[in-house]
Amino acid sequence: MSMRIQFSRATVKDIEAAWQRALAHGDRRMVRRATALLLLACGRPASLVATQLGQSRATIYAWLRAFMLRGVASLAYQTPSGRPAKLTPAQ
């Protein structure tokens, strides 16, 4: 099944701005997510986007779903919760 997603110009500009910020900060994961959304906005199929970015199609759809629910805030990764490491980074 093929699905076409259409973003407004304002949304595309917001994604591009987030992409620029992530690129400036060296945040590769955020750049990858924003790139996926921009490619989907251009009309590329999710399977092609997944192949280009080295991700699964399910991951691309998960990123799209998160974006539809939370907007640009979904592009940022959060630090994982859980028990802190016992070793220091030097160890």
Side-chain angles (χ1 to χ4, degrees):
M1 176 172 93
S2 179
M3 182 176 15
R4 180 155 167 80
I5 302 297
Q6 211 169 10
F7 296 126
S8 69
R9 287 185 186 195
T11 301
V12 171
K13 284 187 178 190
D14 289 343
I15 297 170
E16 287 174 345
W19 184 84
Q20 289 289 340
R21 284 191 308 272
L23 198 59
H25 290 278
D27 188 354
R28 292 179 11 193
R29 294 189 301 178
M30 189 175 192
V31 167
R32 196 174 330 146
R33 276 188 167 198
T35 300
L37 291 172
L38 290 171
L39 290 172
L40 290 172
C42 290
R44 299 252 171 81
S47 57
L48 180 62
V49 173
T51 303
Q52 285 179 329
L53 298 178
Q55 301 293 319
S56 70
R57 197 170 40 152
T59 299
I60 301 300
Y61 283 125
W63 290 348
L64 178 61
R65 187 177 332 108
F67 181 76
M68 291 170 65
L69 292 174
R70 297 190 337 245
V72 177
S74 70
L75 297 175
Y77 279 87
Q78 298 174 356
T79 57
S81 61
R83 184 177 183 169
K86 290 184 178 182
L87 299 176
T88 65
Q91 293 173 329

